[in-house]
Amino acid sequence: GFFRSYAVEVDVKDASNATCLYAKWMMRFLIKYETNSSDYKNTTLNLSSSVTHNGSVCGNDTQAALLAVQFGGGHSWSINFTKTNETYQGDFITFTYNTNDTAVFPDAKRKGPITIVVKDTMRPVQLNNVFVCHNTDSLEAENVTQIFWNVTVQAFVQNGTIGQKESRCRADTPTSAPTVLPTTANVTTASTTTLSPAPTTAPKPVENPDTGNYSLKSGNKTCLLATLGLQLNVSQDKPLLININPKTTSADGACGNTTATLKLNDGNSTLIGF
């Protein structure tokens, strides 16, 4: 599902009021939690319109930089950055969600804040370069999937000026097939050279998607079964139709007493939840 989420922009200043750490990104969290009836539910935690960044730190040669945000009913997320003489990189992501937030976690068996720490997979970025990743990326650990997209970040900003050169993530690198995004997409097109001018023809319509069978089990019993062909219509400057290939798509999720969640992952940065 494409859920509502807010973009976050954090501009951390040093003692001279110069930017030392800058980030703008979007993220959401898919969380499985246990209820008082001992079954499991899936919930989605989105950023609220009001986000604070208390505790963010510029960092220096001996101290890690820290980007920290707080939102909603007692939830927080942070990433620390370290640097060498030539590069900087994210080291660890710390995410705390509070199951006392009954709007997100109704009937949660375990009450209070729960913290998970994930080693970040961000590769080193040249100092004074901006790390950019428009495509979706996700991290999974301890019943939590963290989803990120439209990321722009620079740690250890020099002279208070955001760098002009970008370091792009691997997912943004053009490939032989387009990648679906929540808000935009990279599309690679192929051209054909002819010996003589060819008449203008309408573009070839996208064929109907192949039908896939997806199922979930609860113990030894199948609790959810879906048979469907799935096509995404992405609205942007150039509308894009993408068929989900069931041969490369995996199904995950969970069944509860009153709700069930099906997550489809096509292995190409597209995560769709029902």
Side-chain angles (χ1 to χ4, degrees):
F2 296 100
F3 307 96
R4 182 178 183 181
S5 188
Y6 292 89
V8 185
E9 185 172 18
V10 177
D11 188 348
V12 183
K13 306 286 187 179
D14 61 17
S16 62
N17 202 35
T19 296
C20 61
L21 175 60
Y22 175 82
K24 185 176 182 180
W25 75 102
M26 299 185 76
M27 65 180 175
R28 70 170 59 98
F29 308 91
L30 306 180
I31 304 170
K32 182 196 296 187
Y33 69 98
E34 187 177 7
T35 69
N36 285 322
S37 56
S38 296
D39 64 346
Y40 284 84
K41 288 185 179 180
N42 288 279
T43 189
T44 301
L45 176 59
N46 291 310
L47 294 180
S48 61
S49 58
S50 178
V51 178
T52 59
H53 55 90
N54 300 324
S56 295
V57 177
C58 291
N60 51 43
D61 291 341
T62 58
Q63 181 184 14
L66 181 66
L67 176 65
V69 294
Q70 304 83 37
F71 58 97
H75 316 296
S76 63
W77 181 92
S78 67
I79 178 174
N80 74 311
F81 299 91
T82 56
K83 73 169 183 173
T84 65
N85 291 333
E86 299 180 349
T87 64
Y88 67 90
Q89 68 181 61
D91 285 338
F92 292 95
I93 288 177
T94 303
F95 171 51
T96 298
Y97 59 97
N98 188 358
T99 56
N100 286 326
D101 185 352
T102 56
V104 182
F105 303 98
D107 198 29
K109 183 175 183 179
R110 179 179 176 182
K111 298 295 185 180
I114 300 173
T115 298
I116 63 172
V117 179
V118 182
K119 183 172 176 58
D120 187 30
T121 56
M122 174 183 172
R123 56 183 175 180
V125 179
Q126 288 294 122
L127 287 175
N128 211 34
N129 282 14
V130 180
F131 175 77
V132 176
C133 193
H134 293 305
N135 276 270
T136 55
D137 191 11
S138 62
L139 298 172
E140 295 188 27
E142 301 181 38
N143 293 329
V144 176
T145 301
Q146 306 181 49
I147 304 173
F148 312 90
W149 70 98
N150 286 351
V151 176
T152 300
V153 62
Q154 183 178 352
F156 305 102
V157 176
Q158 300 176 12
N159 301 319
T161 303
I162 305 297
Q164 298 298 314
K165 188 175 180 180
E166 295 182 351
S167 293
R168 302 298 288 264
C169 63
R170 292 185 181 92
D172 281 3
T173 303
T175 63
S176 58
T179 300
V180 179
L181 302 178
T183 57
T184 185
N186 290 330
V187 182
T188 58
T189 58
S191 60
T192 303
T193 302
T194 58
L195 298 178
S196 59
T200 302
T201 58
K204 182 181 179 180
V206 176
E207 297 178 354
N208 289 333
D210 292 334
T211 300
N213 295 310
Y214 310 101
S215 63
L216 299 178
K217 287 186 177 296
S218 178
N220 295 324
K221 296 182 179 181
T222 298
C223 60
L224 186 151
L225 177 65
T227 301
L228 74 158
L230 185 59
Q231 184 180 88
L232 302 183
N233 186 336
V234 183
S235 299
Q236 51 180 19
D237 294 338
K238 294 182 180 180
L240 178 66
L241 293 178
I242 295 296
N243 287 339
I244 298 300
N245 183 358
K247 294 180 180 179
T248 59
T249 299
S250 61
D252 192 9
C255 299
N257 290 335
T258 58
T259 62
T261 299
L262 174 66
K263 295 190 293 184
L264 300 181
N265 189 337
D266 75 342
N268 194 29
S269 299
T270 305
L271 179 65
I272 305 168
F274 297 93

